[in-house]
């Protein structure tokens, strides 16, 4: 039986030599011929990357010569993170001027390879890095179908969690449990399916007000609403068991900063690297702000679909459900359906609580 794609996405986070085969399969499923994952630490240095065979030589040349300095894409990419234009798969060309495209070394490289339409999504991380996934089609084939983009968008929450680990490990292989947990640089622990803790790092041990010990070596979240979502995610340890929330918001308390706890299944080779553990949990902190949250941050922190993100931003801006529905061109009934999904994914039950939580969503490291 073929190994589910989502399992392989999580495996590649810790064993990055598997990214090319994962990207190849995602490319085939989306009508593309190539794909890549790139980790940017800033516009003043070339990105780290893993890619498929089709673009490997080109990306190697791009990152090891001065061609990366000639790219105008990073400039447009980082600028549009703020507006959240890439919280789903989009086309960067649509956000670049004719002048930028004319002088862009990436556009030139794509033309040299006989490629044209490039679908891109961007995942900004709390620590300042930006993870990007791209999928390219041959020149003359036109853009991806709406169905293909929807399929790619469906994988985005998994790509975001996997991208977080890939960036923290700098697209290097996790070699052993202890060193890998330290390298992640976040409060993190390895759990069995039963919830029993196998290993932790120093940052996890220091987060005693967030994680509570339970009988038989298990762990729980101190926040009651978050604990319900956390327990559901732990019990559904395989990513394809059933739809569950795997990025869980935890509200701020007197002793704990607002944060999001991520649950990453440890599949196949990653299972062996982490002492036969079944899942890794890691916490990323967020800061309390009064601004409207960015779409790209919401999709990076929570398992929101693009449509749910639009409604969430409308509500956080002060709009009623009816007004947000009008703004997004949907019916009030559909908006209420999205609102119920937002409640389920955040563990909230009232619109005021949801909005208060959403306004904590800005990147900030522990």
């Amino acid at each position: 039986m073929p190994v589910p794609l989502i399992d392989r996405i999580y495996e590649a986070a810790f064993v990055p030599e598997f990214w090319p085969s994962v990207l190849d399969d995602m490319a085939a499923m989306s009508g593309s011929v190539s794909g890549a994952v790139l980790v940017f630490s800033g516009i003043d240095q070339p990105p780290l990357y893993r890619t498929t065979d089709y673009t490997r030589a080109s990306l190697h040349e791009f990152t090891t010569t001065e061609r990366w300095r000639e790219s105008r894409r990073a400039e447009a990419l980082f600028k549009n993170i703020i507006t959240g234009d890439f919280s789903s798969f989009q086309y960067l060309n649509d956000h670049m001027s004719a002048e930028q495209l004319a002088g862009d070394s990436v556009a030139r490289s794509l033309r040299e390879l006989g490629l044209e339409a490039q679908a891109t999504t961007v995942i900004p991380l709390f620590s300042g890095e930006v993870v990007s996934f791209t999928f390219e089609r041959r020149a003359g084939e036109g853009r991806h179908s709406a169905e293909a983009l929807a399929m790619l968008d469906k994988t985005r929450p998994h790509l975001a969690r996997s991208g977080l680990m890939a960036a923290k490990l700098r697209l290097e292989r996790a070699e052993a449990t202890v060193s890998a947990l330290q390298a992640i640089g976040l409060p993190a622990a390895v759990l069995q399916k039963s919830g029993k803790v196998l290993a932790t790092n120093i940052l996890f041990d220091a987060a005693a007000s967030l994680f509570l010990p339970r009988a038989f070596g298990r762990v729980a979240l101190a926040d009651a609403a978050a604990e319900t979502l956390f327990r559901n995610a732990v019990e559904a340890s395989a990513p394809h068991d059933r739809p569950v929330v795997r990025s869980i918001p935890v509200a701020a308390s007197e002793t704990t900063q607002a944060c999001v706890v991520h649950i990453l299944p440890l599949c196949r080779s990653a299972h062996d690297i982490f002492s036969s553990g079944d899942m890794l949990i890691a916490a990323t902190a967020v800061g309390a702000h009064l601004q409207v949250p960015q779409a790209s941050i919401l999709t990076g922190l929570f398992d929101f679909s693009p449509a749910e993100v639009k409604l969430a931003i409308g509500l956080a801006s002060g709009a009623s459900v009816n007004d947000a529905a009008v703004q997004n061109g949907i019916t009030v009934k559909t908006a209420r359906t999205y609102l119920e999904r937002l409640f389920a994914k955040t563990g909230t039950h009232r619109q005021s609580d949801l909005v208060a939580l959403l306004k904590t969503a800005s990147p900030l490291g522990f």
Side-chain angles (χ1 to χ4, degrees):
M1 183 192 311
V3 177
L5 174 65
I6 302 304
D7 281 1
R8 294 168 55 220
I9 288 174
Y10 284 112
E11 180 184 27
F14 304 102
V15 191
E17 54 263 41
F18 291 143
W19 273 121
S21 63
V22 171
L23 295 166
D24 264 328
D25 286 352
M26 293 185 69
M29 293 168 63
S30 62
S32 310
V33 294
S34 65
V37 52
L38 304 99
V39 177
F40 296 86
S41 295
I43 60 175
D44 58 344
Q45 55 188 296
L48 303 172
Y49 70 91
R50 296 282 174 157
T51 188
T52 55
D53 286 340
Y54 201 107
T55 51
R56 181 170 288 111
S58 180
L59 260 175
H60 175 74
E61 180 184 5
F62 176 77
T63 56
T64 56
T65 68
E66 291 299 299
R67 290 194 91 164
W68 69 270
R69 294 185 184 276
E70 301 167 8
S71 171
R72 306 294 297 276
R73 273 170 200 248
E75 173 188 338
L77 198 67
F78 280 74
K79 176 183 177 182
N80 284 281
I81 288 173
I82 298 173
T83 61
D85 288 327
F86 292 95
S87 55
S88 59
F89 277 87
Q90 303 284 331
Y91 294 96
L92 189 54
N93 285 17
D94 293 345
H95 302 273
M96 297 175 67
S97 67
E99 180 185 358
Q100 286 178 316
L101 286 170
D104 180 43
S105 60
V106 174
R108 187 164 67 250
S109 295
L110 291 176
R111 288 194 299 271
E112 291 169 355
L113 290 170
L115 301 175
E116 190 170 9
Q118 182 185 63
T120 303
T121 193
V122 179
I123 302 158
L125 303 181
F126 63 93
S127 48
E129 300 102 331
V130 173
V131 179
S132 176
F133 289 87
T134 72
F135 293 94
E136 296 79 25
R137 284 169 62 81
R138 286 191 178 92
E141 291 184 340
R143 293 191 167 188
H144 299 77
S145 68
E147 292 76 15
L149 292 177
M151 184 280 294
L152 291 174
D153 285 340
K154 192 173 180 180
T155 67
R156 195 180 185 282
H158 305 290
L159 294 175
R161 282 185 286 270
S162 186
L164 168 65
M165 290 298 114
K168 298 306 292 182
L169 294 171
R170 295 186 59 77
L171 283 175
E172 297 291 340
R173 183 187 178 103
E175 296 295 345
T177 301
V178 175
S179 60
L181 285 176
Q182 294 305 114
I184 289 169
L186 303 169
V190 176
L191 276 62
Q192 293 179 325
K193 289 180 181 178
S194 64
K196 182 179 179 180
V197 177
L198 294 180
T200 63
N201 64 11
I202 295 172
L203 292 174
F204 182 93
D205 296 337
S209 58
L210 174 61
F211 299 104
L212 301 179
R214 287 290 182 260
F216 308 110
R218 291 178 296 205
V219 68
L221 296 183
D223 182 273
E227 167 60 12
T228 299
L229 296 174
F230 178 70
R231 191 54 45 202
N232 288 341
V234 169
E235 291 172 358
S237 56
H240 47 80
D241 276 354
R242 63 178 187 270
V244 295
V245 180
R246 298 186 187 278
S247 291
I248 299 166
V250 180
S253 68
E254 292 181 358
T255 56
T256 305
Q257 185 177 351
C259 67
V260 176
V261 175
H262 306 275
I263 295 91
L264 288 80
L266 295 173
C267 304
R268 308 208 306 162
S269 300
H271 176 78
D272 298 329
I273 290 170
F274 286 95
S275 305
S276 297
D278 296 304
M279 69 201 80
L280 181 142
I281 62 173
T284 57
V286 294
H289 290 268
L290 296 179
Q291 301 116 342
V292 176
Q294 298 173 19
S296 53
I297 297 298
L298 292 181
T299 52
L301 292 176
F302 310 124
D303 287 356
F304 294 169
S305 70
E308 291 163 357
V309 165
K310 290 179 181 178
L311 180 68
I313 290 176
L315 297 176
S317 301
S320 66
V321 173
N322 288 16
D323 290 342
V326 173
Q327 292 169 5
N328 290 294
I330 57 177
T331 66
V332 173
K333 181 178 179 181
T334 298
R336 293 196 179 281
T337 298
Y338 291 160
L339 179 60
E340 290 301 319
R341 293 177 187 171
L342 294 174
F343 284 153
K345 292 180 178 183
T346 58
T348 55
H349 302 282
R350 296 184 304 177
Q351 190 171 321
S352 58
D353 293 337
L354 171 66
V355 169
L357 177 63
L358 293 175
K359 287 188 175 180
T360 69
S362 64
L364 184 67
F366 267 98

